[in-house]
Amino acid sequence: MSAPLAAEPAGLKPVDSLETLQMLDDVQEWSVFSRPDSTTEGCWESNVMIEGMHCAACALTVEDALKSVPGVMSAAVSAGSQRARVVWNSQSVVPSRWMQAVSQSGYRAVPANDAFTRERRKVESRKALWRMMVAGLCMMQVMMYAYPAYVAAPGELSMEMEQLLRWASWVLTLPVIFFSCGPFFGNAWRDIVHRRVSMDLPVALGMLITFVVSTAGTFDPAGIFGREVYFDSLTMFVFFLLAGRWFELRLRDRTAGALESLMNRLPESVARQTGDGQFERVPVRRLQVGNVIRVLPGEAFPADGTVVRGQTSVDESLLTGESRPVARNVGDEVISGSHNLAAVVLVRVERLGAETRFAQIVSLMESASTTKPKLAKLADTIAKPFLIGVLIAAALSCAFWWHMDPERALMVAVSVLVVTCPCALSLATPAAMLSAAGALAHRGVLVRRLDAFEALAAVDTVMFDKTGTLTRDAMVLGKTTVRGGSDSQQALAMAAALAQHSLHPASRALMSAADQGRLIGLWRAADVNEIAGQGLSAAVYPESQPDQAAPMRLGSASFCGVAQAGSGVLQVFLSDQLGWLATFELQEDIRPDAVTTVSALKAAALDIHLLSGDASDAAQRVANQVGIAAYRGQCSPQDKLDFLRNAQLQGHKVAVVGDGLNDGPILAGAHASFAFGQAVPLAQAQADFLVSGSRLTDVAEAIALARRTLAVVRQNLWWAAIYNATCVPLAVAGMLPAWLAGIGMASSSLLVVLNALRLSGDRLREGKL
């Protein structure tokens, strides 16, 4: 879906013009980029992209601008994802007002699902590449002109030749200053106008001082700054800084790829069937429940619905984590955001907008992308004071050196301004966690809070629910007992003839077992009668001999006239005119990867517990099958919560894995929690991680990834700390030239992002912690 801001690339109006922003004040447009806040009447939650941010200080500036607008209830801005989440009261403010406040602060706010956000970013990336290339070309030429001054022996280079080389260097530096450095100077001027500070201010000051000092030395060789010029250092510094920013921009795009792939997954329009059977192209937001739409191969489904004509295969990988295409026939459900791969299908719309699973998933990912972990909040808190400290340190360094050598004093100040930029520190935590969240999203695991990675990495205990988590919702056939002289396969075929007329879970389990044994259709049932809660009765006969029909019953012991012995398992009985014929014991279907998951968690020295609301013998049976030694049955939600609190009082860090239906209290109380199962209303879940696919191994992989993420965060923070602790004293002592300071600053940010990017690989280590 696209916002009205899509007009901008065609050159009609700038996206932050007041007239364009006011288009978003139409109530009908709010649903495109906002959703109602369920907690407060009249409040809306909007997710927007903030363009022009480069550091944590920028994020704090945008937050302050948003919060200063009357009617804005809260605002959270992430420098790592360059997104903002704004909660506002529609009775007090309209979107154009708080978006204009962002524009007035020097940045740009656009809807997060604006169709041209990626295009504008590509344009900006191309501009950044051009600036870098111009700086690189000029740097090489300036270095060539500076080389003779470095290697010439005294007397070998005449004053006229040296002056000529300086003038040539000055001319070649002008494109770097007026074109390549344009964004730095523009942002610095914005900071001065708004009386604030961001990382571009000290960098721009450093560039300006270096250029002014070198220009003075070029025009007045006999003056106090005439001994040496620094055009080579300046152009080299600008080139490496721009190169670092360009690579950082590209890498950030990759780490945010999972969220953007989801955000822009829905089509802008769809073919809707009219009353006369024809099709018309309409915007997706004009669809209504009950409409029939035509979806072509290669298109995404714009809403949740049911296939009414045709059959195809569907790619649901970004929504469920299922990598293989799944077949969809008439009567099957399709989910919005999934891709039609094979053939044209007609779909009846069942759910739209915020009611779809797609919208719920996007909402959760948007929320996660704007949350700030504790470590990131600490970095943001110190960002502005740190930048002010940089300016003071540079001034003091200049004052210290001035009486000895004014020219060197200014260059020392430049080095301090450049080398102490806190980019690496502010990127250390969010870059790693956003990268990890993107990797999990590709596997169908959604992260609601980024700071949950910190808690998940520290867990030493994992508590599992049983039904719907370690087991599937369906049952499977276990042991079959038959009357003497009877055949178990034939008894199952007879039972299937009755079971196919019922939707009861026990009937479905018998049908599934008969289907696997290719027994369906061998026997037929006529005059079927179902008594709710009891069973089925009918005349059953061999498929080829309808004249041999005999009365049979399938169901409970009392319905079939059987004396049931207490076995602790669910039993279904089959009887004929002679009495009891067969007993089918049904058991829960253990997830195929449950044993692998538990083994991986135990291998990582984690304590595993099974807590179930079912009977103790049922809990014991499942625990034994998957390899869990500690289990408890007949647990109410309060019992589970008490068990959790007891473990926490003993100092354990606990992760809880539940199905999200009756596990709300324990999911909310755990240090980290997983809601497992697709039937859960995702937007209302209490869990930190939502497993929308069917793989239980995702839990083990998420814990493994959380540990690796915290290790990368610590590496990034240590690198940022060591870098500043080493380079700042060198810069103050005058031992770090400006060009080397520029390389150090750009490299530190780039290294942090590259290190974080290691977490975004699509292939996680399968169940290995």
Side-chain angles (χ1 to χ4, degrees), residues 57 60 197 378-392 422:
L60 292 176
V197 60
L378 178 62
D380 288 358
T381 301
I382 67 175
K384 280 190 175 181
F386 188 87
L387 286 171
I388 294 172
V390 167
L391 297 175
I392 295 173

Side-chain angles (χ1 to χ4, degrees), residues 173-187:
T173 305
L174 292 178
V176 178
I177 289 295
F178 290 104
F179 176 67
S180 298
C181 297
F184 298 105
F185 292 135
N187 294 339

Side-chain angles (χ1 to χ4, degrees), residues 410-426:
L410 288 173
M411 297 313 297
V412 166
V414 169
S415 297
V416 173
L417 286 171
V418 172
V419 81
T420 53
C421 189
C423 292
L425 184 65
S426 63

Side-chain angles (χ1 to χ4, degrees), residues 501-558:
H501 296 280
S502 172
L503 297 177
H504 192 278
S507 296
R508 291 201 297 268
L510 292 174
M511 285 294 297
S512 176
D515 184 44
Q516 292 178 9
R518 299 183 178 180
L519 303 174
I520 294 179
L522 299 181
W523 289 74
R524 302 288 184 180
D527 302 324
V528 180
N529 181 36
E530 181 175 10
I531 300 176
Q534 295 294 315
L536 297 140
S537 62
V540 179
Y541 56 89
E543 193 274 336
S544 59
Q545 299 173 317
D547 57 328
Q548 296 187 13
M552 301 194 76
R553 290 193 171 197
L554 177 72
S556 65
S558 58

Side-chain angles (χ1 to χ4, degrees), residues 73-400:
M73 314 298 291
S74 65
V77 182
S78 169
S81 64
Q82 296 190 324
R83 289 176 176 268
R85 181 171 56 87
V86 186
V87 179
W88 49 281
N89 192 320
S90 60
Q91 299 175 355
S92 305
V93 69
V94 290
S96 64
R97 176 67 190 90
W98 51 263
M99 284 189 177
Q100 192 178 15
V102 175
S103 299
Q104 291 171 349
S105 67
Y107 302 90
R108 173 185 287 177
V110 296
N113 54 355
D114 177 23
F116 289 101
T117 299
R118 175 180 283 272
E119 186 61 32
R120 282 195 301 273
R121 204 162 57 238
K122 287 181 178 179
V123 171
E124 187 59 36
S125 180
R126 284 195 292 268
K127 289 181 180 178
L129 182 60
W130 271 108
R131 294 188 188 101
M132 180 185 70
M133 291 172 63
V134 169
L137 179 63
C138 293
M139 175 196 70
M140 290 187 290
Q141 296 299 315
V142 170
M143 289 294 293
M144 183 177 67
Y145 292 140
Y147 182 74
Y150 287 115
V151 299
E156 288 185 354
L157 191 64
S158 65
M159 286 295 297
E160 293 79 6
M161 181 57 69
E162 184 176 358
Q163 188 64 14
L164 179 61
L165 293 175
R166 287 189 179 187
W167 275 103
S169 298
W170 181 78
V171 171
L172 286 167
T173 305
L174 292 178
V176 178
I177 289 295
F178 290 104
F179 176 67
S180 298
C181 297
F184 298 105
F185 292 135
N187 294 339
W189 179 249
R190 175 196 63 197
D191 291 341
I192 294 172
V193 169
H194 291 91
R195 299 179 182 178
R196 61 170 187 258
V197 60
S198 71
M199 64 155 282
D200 283 337
L201 181 58
V203 169
L205 282 175
M207 294 174 178
L208 185 61
I209 292 171
T210 306
F211 181 71
V212 169
V213 168
S214 300
T215 300
T218 301
F219 282 85
D220 185 14
I224 61 172
F225 302 125
R227 188 185 64 192
E228 189 176 355
V229 294
Y230 301 93
F231 295 120
D232 54 338
S233 295
L234 174 59
T235 53
M236 189 182 300
F237 158 53
V238 173
F239 171 72
F240 281 111
L241 185 58
L242 289 174
R245 279 205 174 178
W246 184 75
F247 281 113
E248 182 184 323
L249 179 64
R250 296 295 300 272
L251 294 173
R252 275 188 177 184
D253 285 348
R254 287 187 59 185
T255 59
L259 178 56
E260 189 164 276
S261 296
L262 277 175
M263 288 290 297
N264 298 322
R265 205 167 170 85
L266 293 188
E268 297 181 39
S269 61
V270 67
R272 181 177 63 182
Q273 192 174 44
T274 60
D276 58 0
Q278 301 299 312
F279 290 89
E280 61 177 351
R281 203 79 187 174
V282 298
V284 168
R285 60 177 175 269
R286 287 180 55 187
L287 288 179
Q288 297 179 354
V289 173
N291 286 165
V292 174
I293 58 176
R294 181 178 62 196
V295 183
L296 303 176
E299 290 184 341
F301 293 96
D304 291 354
T306 304
V307 177
V308 296
R309 183 185 300 175
Q311 57 184 13
T312 186
S313 58
V314 177
D315 175 14
E316 299 180 350
S317 57
L318 271 182
L319 302 173
T320 66
E322 177 57 58
S323 58
R324 292 175 297 180
V326 292
R328 290 292 180 261
N329 301 308
V330 174
D332 291 340
E333 291 187 359
V334 292
I335 54 180
S336 62
S338 59
H339 269 109
N340 182 14
L341 297 178
V344 179
V345 290
L346 300 186
V347 176
R348 181 185 297 108
V349 175
E350 305 289 350
R351 288 179 297 276
L352 286 164
E355 300 299 321
T356 64
R357 288 188 58 220
F358 172 82
Q360 295 166 357
I361 290 171
V362 169
S363 173
L364 290 167
M365 294 188 70
E366 285 177 336
S367 177
S369 68
T370 54
T371 57
K372 293 183 180 180
K374 295 177 182 177
L375 294 173
K377 289 179 181 177
L378 178 62
D380 288 358
T381 301
I382 67 175
K384 280 190 175 181
F386 188 87
L387 286 171
I388 294 172
V390 167
L391 297 175
I392 295 173
L396 292 176
S397 300
C398 183
F400 175 78

